Amino acid sequence: MTGFRDLGWARPDIDREARLGLPEVVYAPGKEPAQIAAVVSSLLAANAGPVLATRVEPGTAQAVLAAVPDGVHEPRAKLLHWRAAAPMAFTVAIVAAGTSDGPVAAEAAAVARAIGLTVDEIHDVGVAGVHRLLAVRDRIAAADAVVCIAGMEGALPSVVAGLVAAPVIAVPTSVGYGAAFDGVTALLAMLSSCAAGVTVVNIDSGFAAAMAAHRIARSRA
Amino acid sequence: MTGFRDLGWARPDIDREARLGLPEVVYAPGKEPAQIAAVVSSLLAANAGPVLATRVEPGTAQAVLAAVPDGVHEPRAKLLHWRAAAPMAFTVAIVAAGTSDGPVAAEAAAVARAIGLTVDEIHDVGVAGVHRLLAVRDRIAAADAVVCIAGMEGALPSVVAGLVAAPVIAVPTSVGYGAAFDGVTALLAMLSSCAAGVTVVNIDSGFAAAMAAHRIARSRA
Amino acid sequence: MTGFRDLGWARPDIDREARLGLPEVVYAPGKEPAQIAAVVSSLLAANAGPVLATRVEPGTAQAVLAAVPDGVHEPRAKLLHWRAAAPMAFTVAIVAAGTSDGPVAAEAAAVARAIGLTVDEIHDVGVAGVHRLLAVRDRIAAADAVVCIAGMEGALPSVVAGLVAAPVIAVPTSVGYGAAFDGVTALLAMLSSCAAGVTVVNIDSGFAAAMAAHRIARSRA
Amino acid sequence: MTGFRDLGWARPDIDREARLGLPEVVYAPGKEPAQIAAVVSSLLAANAGPVLATRVEPGTAQAVLAAVPDGVHEPRAKLLHWRAAAPMAFTVAIVAAGTSDGPVAAEAAAVARAIGLTVDEIHDVGVAGVHRLLAVRDRIAAADAVVCIAGMEGALPSVVAGLVAAPVIAVPTSVGYGAAFDGVTALLAMLSSCAAGVTVVNIDSGFAAAMAAHRIARSRA
Amino acid sequence: MTGFRDLGWARPDIDREARLGLPEVVYAPGKEPAQIAAVVSSLLAANAGPVLATRVEPGTAQAVLAAVPDGVHEPRAKLLHWRAAAPMAFTVAIVAAGTSDGPVAAEAAAVARAIGLTVDEIHDVGVAGVHRLLAVRDRIAAADAVVCIAGMEGALPSVVAGLVAAPVIAVPTSVGYGAAFDGVTALLAMLSSCAAGVTVVNIDSGFAAAMAAHRIARSRA
Amino acid sequence: MTGFRDLGWARPDIDREARLGLPEVVYAPGKEPAQIAAVVSSLLAANAGPVLATRVEPGTAQAVLAAVPDGVHEPRAKLLHWRAAAPMAFTVAIVAAGTSDGPVAAEAAAVARAIGLTVDEIHDVGVAGVHRLLAVRDRIAAADAVVCIAGMEGALPSVVAGLVAAPVIAVPTSVGYGAAFDGVTALLAMLSSCAAGVTVVNIDSGFAAAMAAHRIARSRA
Amino acid sequence: MTGFRDLGWARPDIDREARLGLPEVVYAPGKEPAQIAAVVSSLLAANAGPVLATRVEPGTAQAVLAAVPDGVHEPRAKLLHWRAAAPMAFTVAIVAAGTSDGPVAAEAAAVARAIGLTVDEIHDVGVAGVHRLLAVRDRIAAADAVVCIAGMEGALPSVVAGLVAAPVIAVPTSVGYGAAFDGVTALLAMLSSCAAGVTVVNIDSGFAAAMAAHRIARSRA
Amino acid sequence: MTGFRDLGWARPDIDREARLGLPEVVYAPGKEPAQIAAVVSSLLAANAGPVLATRVEPGTAQAVLAAVPDGVHEPRAKLLHWRAAAPMAFTVAIVAAGTSDGPVAAEAAAVARAIGLTVDEIHDVGVAGVHRLLAVRDRIAAADAVVCIAGMEGALPSVVAGLVAAPVIAVPTSVGYGAAFDGVTALLAMLSSCAAGVTVVNIDSGFAAAMAAHRIARSRA
């Protein structure tokens, strides 16, 4: 028993659910629909939990769904998923600075729900109008973990992490122009946060933030 | 009641323990020993929990300890702390790739212990001899959270996060030369990890990793 | 009439006071004390307003003061000045995020006072404890211009510019480590601010911020 | 009274006019026309001053105008605005280095006029033919504030700030190629200006420059 | 005898086969089909070994093949070649981290076969499921040289070079997003590898890796 | 007499021919055909020498030529010019490393001829087959100035400047991929050349190199 | 049998000789002399081959040699080694561009000899005097592998790899200033080489180049 | 006759004077005084022209002069030279923006004089007081070539090249702080200059500028 299926051109890691609590997730860019469908099918066959494909463009999504039925397509999140997990008693607050950060928040929320987290979405609470953030402070404080999404100067997690005690996972987005450098400035700002204990994931990766929250949720069990 | 003490040149945030579960931590660089001592004293007076000062050089540490008694100096971690917290039932594995990463691991471990976490330190399990890592897989899997410390190419968290389900907090270090760019390469590699759900803190910040682990520990309570 | 004094190795711009309202300011690095003294003397002789030398190390300051009497040395600000201007009815709030930003705030305040501005210094109001900032909101709103000084993630000007209507001049500082990149991250964050109308000067340049405030003050006359 | 309107997916900051003298401005990229229209309508309803949307592409502009009547579209500036402010007695000179900087100058001018500033536009006075700049020196000196727009080496603000005493707000543009790095070189050059008191905004942000000038204008009232 | 053919606009290096064991290889981008055909024809006429053109887009490939018969087009590898070399007794293992790295692996494999190497392709053995890599350790160890292909954090060569003694040529790929910086992160990680003796070629250059392997193979003869 | 024509939106520098020996050159990107035509007409009317517009796309070129007759379009060089200068007794060798550098060489050659230089074009003498370069050493040594064009590692000027005594103007090109960074690597390599006295212009700027050669040619008169 | 020795603070990989043909090599920076001595002793005890410590400063070297006798110190190479390997019939040419590259060449040569390679050192053959390189072409062509060392523009490997068929391992050095960026320019230039099949190691890493050559030598056996 | 002297550890290029009109120049950093002396002696013996060593620290200079008599030490320029060339009828204007640029100007001037150029030094004509530059316009226009030296925003060459027709060689300096990035900003600004025909050399390289001027001077003969 090797722990993977050998398709020649791919080796789906069918052992991952046993190790990590979730099956492998398929990253769609650079893969043909038939490749995605084959890997998804392998994973569905060999595991019991939810199977996801991320960053799926609309045309690809239709082709994959035609080949692997019973999947759900969430176009704003660019997510395909099959066999969503039962909800755990763990709430993640997904807090976004601006409406332009919406697609990243959508990915974080859709992935989080598909893997069994309860989501509380809070939008448009950027720091230039900090009263908007203070108004939802109790909602954020009630969550088990917080995903903080912001582009431009990426200041939101610093303020949030100073307000609540929960784990804060910061997601920089590519929103902005010029000196925002496609999210690099927000990324560096979040890593340099003066608020203690903020952690950071890759630019625009709502997916990574949801998975990190899942690790926290699962570690409680 | 303002939630801070106004010293004129500083405003210790004496409300932070109530909000976040830990008092404010003093970042020593750029501050005079007398300034550190004054802030530490304010924090000790206004809170009940552990008070820490990080990145404290030896001479400064002696001067501060002389002014504020009953502190503990951990020179390898460059940490001063007073009134260490009682241990929680939460173990953080601190896993370092090489012996040169030792000072960062020392900071992570010393801070973690001072704020009440139980620590399991595992050293020198870099990926160029991956059997060393596989040999300690069960110890790592037994932890409630994992702090992964590596310089150079920063590959350790990717392998670890593929082996265990716990939250993985990656700390890039400035170990290496040339294309390692003082930790930037390890930082970017950790952010780009193909293992899902890895989170990252600033270069050489064992402190940030320990504080992030504390947020996870506290969120369970 | 050429508008400058030709010293061979230097051409002090003695016409600048007439054009800009302030004599030329001497940037000390790379200059010998005797050179600084000669230029300062030229400027004192040819103008009526305050003469300043910035970034002056202690030994150099003593040598210059010995050669050009009646000067004032402000060591924390690394400033030498002669013939300080009479105060204008214009208050600049100098707001700093952390105590480690103190030297930059000191330069901004000392230069501002020397060229005739009234200064209100507010320290240690970083965004990780945003209640400290809200507590001084009225003081900041009462100023004619605001200089906002922050290192690390540089978030302070975004919050301040959302609270008050006055001109906000942001100064990134080199406080921080790793991903703070010696002030570059704060610089980029300030330039990418989601708060409208923030302007930015060079890293650690309390001097530039004070001079920018002076342009605003003078434009009112 | 919370100071914002909660649309679920957005929280227009209807309190901003009271705090800052101008309503919130809508940044169009990444928003649907219906979203822009809804936020604009909220802002028009809750405030008395001008409402603006920036970086609006032509098709989007038509859709928004159809939904929210009485708006003005300035296509070269990519600006939509409603209820332009009455002109203040404050002139901003908008000085551009080359004709290729025209779109950025257009945004600065259109925003400035919409929020009540008087504009004097001066084009094509780049430093490679410095006599062109010297010929308009008196016009620039007559302004209450100067917006200096340049790409490539971004030298214009250094020369202008040496000629006039008014506040100088520098806008780097993405004009140029190769080592101009899409405006980064001009940005860094402006931040490093040898002329004292120059402030800088983000690349291509005529909008930010106009808003900064508005802060100066309003601070006089 | 000059060692090149002078076509005016090009100078095919017809002497290269004698010096290096292989004729010059044509890099297609920026060249017209007729130019490629002319250079290929010159090289075929003046040498005896295989002639290759790399990075050839489909339309260009058809046009060149029409002009120079008997060529082979490998579209996934974007390779054209004529007169493939007889296989040497030298096996190169081409080991790729993910299925998205497929096109780079395809180029490496196609070029290697065309110039006479025997290829063993191993796909999808990324380090997040390290058991997949350990399962093929003996196959890799049996090769005379190893080409290791990975994007994102580029960790694969560090693990492989710790498992086998053969020469390891690392190829970073542009797979990934955000902090992966189009392959730069993988490139820097590979150069910073803690495993001794890894060498690195340019981003996405399966071609360069195959040619480097050929130098090793030929040096044995 | 101001030395420029004031078109409102542009200020053609009609005095430049008198100062520099050549009229102003029009940089086409970001300008409308009508704008280009108007500036060109101004320059033709006010000067006696050649008038050029660079980086002109084909459609724009046709529109401008329709409005301003008697111009010449060199499409490979993206150049429009009117009233080419009489040839001077000054030969510039334009030496290019690879055939992919052709468009940059074409711009350099076309501009040089239009402003009166004699051109000797030498193509495809990259350093990986250095015998090709040595074969044309005498032709290069016979020139009054050398323009050296190379992408990728940009090594050509170092070798050429070690072979001949003439002025060497290096032009990095954006040819290459990955670590070539769109010409930045070649640019930095040329600036770091171990051969003494190499000068460098912007990436892909055949135009700048020709103009620099013209300055040398004219300085002899 | 775990394949490593567990010292608590370190895990020497005593299995590496069996896997890779050479024991683990100790990287000295950041380690205490006693730590280096302990690891070296473990490696000497558990293996039969040569044991090396690299980047050892003089004082550290003396302390380690005192603790672990029979070692050899090569100060120019900053190398300590014990039990040098018997020479193999494999010659590596170490070719350096300038005399300032000497320390890197010294490390490459000393490591190569200690692990059993025969070395032919060739110095000061930079491309600005290419006749010096052509004069030693036959010596280089006679080698089984070539290590090419250069700083500044890093052009040497491109020329060498066009002259000889052997494997070429390029080592960029930090020699140079300004745009040489401490070896980054040479690194990028070598990765972008127009000569096919060049491989590259980290900046200043003569060690890595020697180890890469050893992999090639050993693969022949 | 090989064209170089083989010292084993160095190969002085004694043929360079014949090829380029000047002997090889010794770059001192990283070389021992005895090495410098040996190379200088070789060059003096095998050539007739001036021999130079650059970037020589004071102690090294004394040691070299003791070994090779009749040399001249110019400490501000860090230059050693022997057998200065007879002056040519060619004047180079060395124009520096600020007094802090003095050491770079000193190197340019000292090298230029040693190799036979006539020098006109003009200091402190930075663009923030452009009247100072206009006052010396005729002196600059009278030169055969212009070396323009500036740090910070590096704007001087753009203005100068718009005023005079002569060749302009721009030298960026590392003067400045923060966003000046040790001369990188000035370098990029000079490469992006809107003035046609400016050429650029490496940061702080007064040497390279003088050698480039020498190529121009010699090409006239």
Side-chain angles (χ1 to χ4, degrees):
Chain A
M1 164 57 189
T2 60
F4 59 87
R5 184 86 64 236
D6 190 348
L7 306 179
W9 50 271
R11 282 180 167 69
D13 181 358
I14 58 177
D15 187 45
R16 196 167 296 185
E17 189 182 71
R19 298 197 315 275
L20 308 188
L22 281 178
E24 187 178 354
V25 173
V26 183
Y27 175 67
K31 297 194 179 73
E32 296 297 315
Q35 291 180 314
I36 299 171
V39 175
V40 165
S41 297
S42 293
L43 294 170
L44 284 169
N47 296 277
V51 173
L52 287 73
T54 62
R55 306 263 165 140
V56 192
E57 297 302 325
T60 301
Q62 295 316 311
V64 174
L65 284 178
V68 191
D70 295 326
V72 175
H73 181 208
E74 307 209 30
R76 192 144 188 258
K78 294 191 176 178
L79 183 73
L80 284 177
H81 62 86
W82 291 261
R83 221 164 47 194
M88 290 185 268
F90 187 96
T91 298
V92 57
I94 295 179
V95 185
T99 53
S100 298
D101 300 313
V104 178
E107 187 189 56
V111 170
R113 289 193 184 99
I115 59 178
L117 307 179
T118 302
V119 172
D120 184 15
E121 291 189 64
I122 301 173
H123 293 280
D124 204 13
V125 289
V127 301
V130 77
H131 58 295
R132 298 177 301 185
L133 180 62
L134 297 175
V136 293
R137 176 179 175 167
D138 289 347
R139 266 171 77 185
I140 300 174
D144 296 290
V146 184
V147 171
C148 255
I149 299 170
M152 299 178 177
E153 78 274 57
L156 185 61
S158 294
V159 182
V160 167
L163 293 176
V164 305
V168 174
I169 302 159
V171 188
T173 74
S174 52
V175 170
Y177 57 90
F181 287 123
D182 296 320
V184 174
T185 294
L187 172 67
L188 299 177
M190 290 168 172
L191 288 162
S192 304
S193 176
C194 61
V198 173
T199 60
V200 186
V201 297
N202 200 359
I203 297 166
D204 286 339
S205 192
F207 164 71
M211 296 299 278
H214 184 268
R215 286 181 179 265
I216 296 172
R218 194 175 182 284
S219 75
R220 288 194 182 181
Chain B
M1 163 57 189
T2 60
F4 59 88
R5 184 85 66 235
D6 189 348
L7 305 179
W9 51 270
R11 282 179 167 70
D13 181 358
I14 58 177
D15 188 42
R16 197 167 295 185
E17 188 181 70
R19 297 195 318 275
L20 307 188
L22 281 178
E24 187 178 354
V25 172
V26 183
Y27 176 67
K31 299 197 178 70
E32 296 297 315
Q35 292 181 312
I36 299 170
V39 175
V40 165
S41 297
S42 292
L43 294 170
L44 285 168
N47 295 277
V51 173
L52 288 73
T54 62
R55 306 261 165 144
V56 192
E57 296 301 326
T60 302
Q62 296 315 312
V64 175
L65 283 178
V68 191
D70 296 326
V72 175
H73 181 208
E74 308 208 32
R76 191 141 189 261
K78 294 192 175 177
L79 183 73
L80 284 177
H81 62 87
W82 291 259
R83 222 164 45 195
M88 290 185 268
F90 187 97
T91 298
V92 58
I94 294 178
V95 185
T99 52
S100 298
D101 300 312
V104 178
E107 187 189 55
V111 171
R113 289 194 185 96
I115 59 178
L117 307 179
T118 302
V119 172
D120 183 16
E121 290 188 66
I122 301 173
H123 293 280
D124 203 12
V125 290
V127 300
V130 77
H131 58 295
R132 299 177 299 186
L133 180 62
L134 297 175
V136 293
R137 176 178 175 168
D138 288 348
R139 266 172 77 186
I140 300 174
D144 295 292
V146 184
V147 171
C148 255
I149 299 171
M152 299 179 178
E153 78 272 59
L156 186 61
S158 294
V159 182
V160 168
L163 293 176
V164 304
V168 175
I169 302 159
V171 188
T173 75
S174 53
V175 170
Y177 57 91
F181 287 124
D182 294 320
V184 173
T185 294
L187 171 66
L188 298 178
M190 289 167 173
L191 288 161
S192 303
S193 175
C194 61
V198 172
T199 60
V200 186
V201 297
N202 200 0
I203 297 167
D204 287 338
S205 191
F207 164 71
M211 296 299 276
H214 184 268
R215 285 181 178 265
I216 296 172
R218 194 177 181 283
S219 76
R220 288 195 182 180
Chain C
M1 163 58 189
T2 61
F4 58 87
R5 183 85 66 234
D6 189 349
L7 306 178
W9 50 271
R11 282 179 166 70
D13 180 359
I14 58 177
D15 188 42
R16 196 167 296 185
E17 188 181 69
R19 296 195 319 273
L20 308 189
L22 281 178
E24 187 177 355
V25 173
V26 182
Y27 175 68
K31 298 195 179 71
E32 296 298 315
Q35 292 181 312
I36 299 170
V39 175
V40 165
S41 297
S42 292
L43 294 169
L44 285 168
N47 295 278
V51 173
L52 288 74
T54 63
R55 308 262 165 143
V56 192
E57 297 301 326
T60 302
Q62 296 315 312
V64 174
L65 283 178
V68 191
D70 296 326
V72 176
H73 181 208
E74 308 208 31
R76 192 143 189 260
K78 295 191 176 178
L79 184 73
L80 284 177
H81 62 86
W82 291 261
R83 222 164 45 194
M88 290 185 269
F90 187 97
T91 298
V92 57
I94 294 179
V95 185
T99 53
S100 299
D101 300 313
V104 178
E107 187 189 55
V111 170
R113 288 193 184 99
I115 59 178
L117 307 180
T118 302
V119 172
D120 183 15
E121 290 189 65
I122 302 172
H123 293 279
D124 203 14
V125 289
V127 299
V130 77
H131 58 295
R132 299 178 299 184
L133 179 62
L134 297 175
V136 293
R137 176 179 175 167
D138 289 348
R139 265 171 76 187
I140 300 174
D144 296 291
V146 185
V147 170
C148 255
I149 299 171
M152 299 178 178
E153 78 273 60
L156 186 60
S158 293
V159 182
V160 168
L163 293 175
V164 304
V168 175
I169 302 159
V171 189
T173 75
S174 53
V175 169
Y177 57 90
F181 287 123
D182 295 320
V184 173
T185 294
L187 172 67
L188 298 178
M190 289 166 173
L191 287 161
S192 304
S193 175
C194 61
V198 172
T199 60
V200 187
V201 297
N202 200 359
I203 297 167
D204 287 338
S205 191
F207 164 70
M211 295 299 277
H214 185 267
R215 285 180 179 265
I216 296 172
R218 194 176 181 284
S219 77
R220 288 193 181 181
Chain D
M1 164 57 189
T2 58
F4 59 88
R5 185 85 66 234
D6 189 348
L7 305 179
W9 50 271
R11 281 180 167 71
D13 180 358
I14 59 177
D15 188 43
R16 197 167 294 185
E17 189 182 72
R19 297 197 316 276
L20 308 188
L22 282 179
E24 186 179 354
V25 172
V26 183
Y27 175 67
K31 297 194 180 72
E32 295 298 314
Q35 291 180 314
I36 298 170
V39 175
V40 165
S41 297
S42 292
L43 294 170
L44 285 169
N47 294 278
V51 173
L52 287 73
T54 62
R55 306 262 164 141
V56 193
E57 296 302 326
T60 302
Q62 296 315 312
V64 174
L65 283 178
V68 191
D70 295 326
V72 175
H73 182 209
E74 308 208 30
R76 193 143 186 257
K78 294 190 175 179
L79 183 74
L80 284 176
H81 62 86
W82 292 259
R83 223 165 45 196
M88 289 185 269
F90 186 96
T91 299
V92 57
I94 295 179
V95 185
T99 53
S100 298
D101 301 312
V104 178
E107 187 188 57
V111 171
R113 289 193 184 99
I115 59 178
L117 307 179
T118 301
V119 172
D120 183 16
E121 291 189 65
I122 301 173
H123 293 280
D124 203 13
V125 289
V127 300
V130 77
H131 58 295
R132 298 177 300 185
L133 180 62
L134 297 175
V136 293
R137 176 178 176 168
D138 288 348
R139 267 171 76 186
I140 301 173
D144 295 291
V146 184
V147 171
C148 256
I149 299 171
M152 300 178 177
E153 79 272 59
L156 185 62
S158 294
V159 181
V160 167
L163 292 176
V164 305
V168 174
I169 302 159
V171 189
T173 75
S174 53
V175 169
Y177 56 90
F181 287 124
D182 295 320
V184 173
T185 294
L187 172 66
L188 298 177
M190 289 167 173
L191 288 161
S192 304
S193 175
C194 62
V198 173
T199 61
V200 186
V201 297
N202 200 359
I203 297 167
D204 286 339
S205 192
F207 164 71
M211 295 298 278
H214 184 268
R215 286 181 179 265
I216 295 172
R218 193 176 183 284
S219 76
R220 288 194 182 180
Chain E
M1 164 58 191
T2 59
F4 59 87
R5 183 85 66 235
D6 189 348
L7 306 179
W9 50 271
R11 282 180 168 70
D13 180 357
I14 58 178
D15 188 42
R16 197 167 295 184
E17 189 182 70
R19 297 197 317 274
L20 308 188
L22 281 179
E24 187 177 354
V25 172
V26 182
Y27 175 68
K31 297 195 180 73
E32 296 297 315
Q35 291 181 313
I36 299 171
V39 175
V40 165
S41 297
S42 292
L43 294 170
L44 285 169
N47 295 278
V51 173
L52 287 73
T54 63
R55 307 262 165 142
V56 193
E57 297 302 325
T60 301
Q62 296 316 312
V64 175
L65 283 178
V68 191
D70 296 325
V72 175
H73 182 209
E74 308 209 30
R76 193 143 189 259
K78 294 192 175 177
L79 183 73
L80 283 177
H81 62 86
W82 291 260
R83 222 165 46 194
M88 290 184 269
F90 187 97
T91 298
V92 57
I94 294 179
V95 185
T99 53
S100 299
D101 300 313
V104 178
E107 187 189 56
V111 170
R113 288 193 185 98
I115 58 178
L117 307 179
T118 301
V119 172
D120 183 16
E121 291 190 63
I122 301 173
H123 292 280
D124 203 14
V125 290
V127 300
V130 77
H131 58 297
R132 298 178 300 185
L133 180 62
L134 297 175
V136 293
R137 176 179 176 167
D138 289 347
R139 265 172 78 186
I140 301 174
D144 296 290
V146 184
V147 171
C148 255
I149 299 172
M152 299 179 177
E153 78 274 59
L156 185 61
S158 294
V159 182
V160 168
L163 293 176
V164 304
V168 175
I169 302 159
V171 189
T173 74
S174 53
V175 169
Y177 56 90
F181 287 123
D182 295 321
V184 173
T185 294
L187 172 67
L188 298 178
M190 290 168 172
L191 287 162
S192 303
S193 176
C194 61
V198 173
T199 59
V200 187
V201 297
N202 200 358
I203 298 165
D204 287 339
S205 192
F207 164 71
M211 295 299 278
H214 184 269
R215 286 181 179 266
I216 296 172
R218 194 176 182 283
S219 75
R220 290 196 181 179
Chain F
M1 165 57 189
T2 60
F4 58 87
R5 183 85 66 234
D6 190 348
L7 306 179
W9 50 270
R11 282 180 167 70
D13 181 357
I14 58 177
D15 188 44
R16 197 167 295 184
E17 189 182 69
R19 297 196 317 275
L20 308 188
L22 282 178
E24 186 177 354
V25 172
V26 183
Y27 176 66
K31 297 195 180 71
E32 296 297 314
Q35 292 180 314
I36 299 170
V39 175
V40 165
S41 297
S42 292
L43 294 170
L44 285 168
N47 295 278
V51 173
L52 286 74
T54 63
R55 306 263 163 141
V56 192
E57 296 302 325
T60 302
Q62 296 315 312
V64 174
L65 284 178
V68 190
D70 296 326
V72 175
H73 181 209
E74 307 208 30
R76 192 142 188 259
K78 294 190 175 180
L79 183 73
L80 284 177
H81 61 87
W82 291 261
R83 221 165 45 195
M88 290 186 269
F90 186 96
T91 299
V92 57
I94 295 180
V95 184
T99 52
S100 298
D101 300 313
V104 178
E107 187 188 57
V111 170
R113 287 193 185 99
I115 59 178
L117 306 179
T118 302
V119 172
D120 183 16
E121 290 190 65
I122 301 174
H123 293 281
D124 203 14
V125 290
V127 300
V130 77
H131 58 296
R132 298 178 300 185
L133 179 63
L134 297 175
V136 293
R137 176 178 176 169
D138 289 347
R139 266 172 78 187
I140 301 174
D144 295 291
V146 184
V147 171
C148 255
I149 299 171
M152 299 178 177
E153 79 273 59
L156 185 61
S158 294
V159 182
V160 167
L163 293 176
V164 304
V168 174
I169 302 159
V171 188
T173 74
S174 53
V175 170
Y177 57 91
F181 287 124
D182 295 321
V184 173
T185 295
L187 172 66
L188 297 177
M190 290 167 173
L191 287 161
S192 303
S193 175
C194 61
V198 173
T199 60
V200 186
V201 297
N202 200 359
I203 297 167
D204 287 338
S205 191
F207 164 71
M211 295 298 277
H214 185 269
R215 286 182 179 265
I216 296 172
R218 194 176 181 284
S219 76
R220 288 194 182 180
Chain G
M1 164 58 189
T2 60
F4 59 88
R5 184 86 65 234
D6 189 349
L7 306 179
W9 50 271
R11 281 178 167 71
D13 181 358
I14 58 177
D15 188 43
R16 196 168 295 185
E17 188 182 67
R19 296 195 319 275
L20 308 189
L22 281 178
E24 187 177 355
V25 173
V26 183
Y27 175 69
K31 299 195 178 72
E32 296 298 315
Q35 291 181 312
I36 298 170
V39 175
V40 165
S41 297
S42 292
L43 294 170
L44 284 168
N47 294 279
V51 173
L52 287 74
T54 62
R55 306 262 165 143
V56 192
E57 297 302 326
T60 302
Q62 296 315 313
V64 175
L65 283 178
V68 191
D70 296 326
V72 175
H73 182 209
E74 308 208 32
R76 190 138 191 264
K78 293 191 175 178
L79 183 73
L80 285 177
H81 62 87
W82 292 261
R83 220 165 46 195
M88 289 184 269
F90 187 96
T91 298
V92 57
I94 294 180
V95 185
T99 52
S100 299
D101 300 313
V104 178
E107 187 188 56
V111 171
R113 288 194 185 97
I115 58 179
L117 306 180
T118 302
V119 172
D120 183 17
E121 291 190 64
I122 301 173
H123 292 281
D124 203 14
V125 290
V127 300
V130 78
H131 58 295
R132 298 178 299 186
L133 180 62
L134 297 175
V136 293
R137 177 180 174 167
D138 289 347
R139 266 172 76 186
I140 300 174
D144 295 292
V146 184
V147 171
C148 255
I149 300 171
M152 299 179 178
E153 79 272 59
L156 185 61
S158 294
V159 181
V160 168
L163 293 176
V164 305
V168 174
I169 302 158
V171 189
T173 75
S174 53
V175 170
Y177 57 90
F181 287 124
D182 295 321
V184 173
T185 294
L187 172 66
L188 298 178
M190 289 167 173
L191 287 162
S192 303
S193 175
C194 61
V198 173
T199 60
V200 186
V201 297
N202 200 359
I203 297 168
D204 286 338
S205 191
F207 164 71
M211 295 299 277
H214 184 267
R215 285 181 179 265
I216 296 172
R218 194 177 181 285
S219 76
R220 288 195 182 180
Chain H
M1 164 59 189
T2 60
F4 59 86
R5 183 86 65 233
D6 189 349
L7 306 179
W9 49 271
R11 283 180 166 68
D13 180 358
I14 57 176
D15 188 43
R16 198 168 294 185
E17 188 182 69
R19 296 194 319 273
L20 309 188
L22 282 178
E24 187 177 354
V25 172
V26 183
Y27 176 68
K31 299 196 179 72
E32 296 298 315
Q35 292 181 312
I36 298 170
V39 175
V40 165
S41 297
S42 292
L43 294 171
L44 285 168
N47 294 279
V51 172
L52 286 74
T54 63
R55 306 265 165 140
V56 193
E57 297 302 325
T60 302
Q62 296 315 313
V64 174
L65 283 179
V68 190
D70 296 326
V72 175
H73 181 209
E74 308 208 32
R76 192 141 189 260
K78 295 192 175 177
L79 183 73
L80 284 178
H81 62 86
W82 292 261
R83 221 165 46 195
M88 289 185 269
F90 187 98
T91 299
V92 57
I94 294 179
V95 185
T99 52
S100 299
D101 300 313
V104 178
E107 187 190 54
V111 170
R113 288 193 185 99
I115 59 179
L117 307 179
T118 301
V119 172
D120 184 15
E121 290 189 65
I122 302 173
H123 292 280
D124 204 13
V125 290
V127 300
V130 76
H131 58 296
R132 299 178 299 186
L133 180 63
L134 298 175
V136 294
R137 176 179 175 166
D138 289 347
R139 266 173 75 187
I140 300 174
D144 295 292
V146 184
V147 170
C148 255
I149 299 171
M152 299 179 178
E153 79 272 59
L156 185 61
S158 294
V159 181
V160 168
L163 292 176
V164 304
V168 174
I169 302 159
V171 189
T173 75
S174 53
V175 169
Y177 56 90
F181 287 124
D182 295 320
V184 173
T185 295
L187 171 66
L188 297 178
M190 289 167 172
L191 287 161
S192 303
S193 175
C194 60
V198 172
T199 60
V200 186
V201 297
N202 200 358
I203 298 167
D204 287 339
S205 190
F207 164 71
M211 295 299 277
H214 184 268
R215 285 182 179 264
I216 296 172
R218 193 176 182 284
S219 76
R220 288 195 181 180

